Amino acid sequence: MSIEVVPEWMLGLDDEDVSFMKNFIMASGSLKEIARQYSVTYPTVRLKLDRLIQKIQISEDTSSEPYIALIKRMAINEKIDFDTAKILISEYKKLKKGG
């Protein structure tokens, strides 16, 4: 009996992200093929891949700065806009420094 260990960076991904990753791998990393499969444009697929990359990068921030990682995740998932995220992160950093 083996215990499956999910890497930390995968915990923040939703089912759609995992499905996209699988399809991307099965398409040998061809963004053009993924665009064809999803019936979307190449730039749309590129944006999806960029957001997935950002989600993975953010997961690395989580252990040291969970609040900042949360704000970044919210911005990537379009729950808040990037300008608001920048303000929240900036104010949080000021508070941490004591001023």
Side-chain angles (χ1 to χ4, degrees):
M1 181 175 173
S2 67
I3 298 174
E4 291 187 34
V5 178
V6 177
E8 184 82 22
W9 62 267
M10 287 190 78
L11 296 176
L13 304 180
D14 57 30
D15 291 343
E16 182 181 329
D17 294 330
V18 174
S19 177
F20 179 85
M21 284 177 21
K22 178 184 174 191
N23 291 335
F24 181 70
I25 292 166
M26 297 302 291
S28 298
S30 170
L31 293 179
K32 287 182 183 179
E33 175 59 23
I34 294 297
R36 188 191 64 73
Q37 288 177 16
Y38 283 82
S39 300
V40 296
T41 64
Y42 177 92
T44 300
V45 173
R46 183 71 237 180
L47 180 61
K48 172 71 175 163
L49 181 60
D50 289 344
R51 285 191 175 145
L52 184 56
I53 291 167
Q54 290 172 335
K55 283 183 180 182
I56 292 169
Q57 289 171 333
I58 284 172
S59 71
E60 295 174 1
D61 294 342
T62 303
S63 59
S64 62
E65 293 288 353
Y67 178 78
I68 292 175
L70 170 66
I71 297 300
K72 288 180 178 180
R73 251 190 328 273
M74 290 176 71
I76 289 169
N77 291 324
E78 298 178 345
K79 303 292 183 196
I80 61 174
D81 62 70
F82 281 101
D83 289 335
T84 301
K86 288 179 190 175
I87 292 167
L88 290 171
I89 291 169
S90 173
E91 291 301 314
Y92 173 75
K93 287 180 177 179
K94 285 180 191 175
L95 287 172
K96 278 192 74 169
K97 288 182 181 177

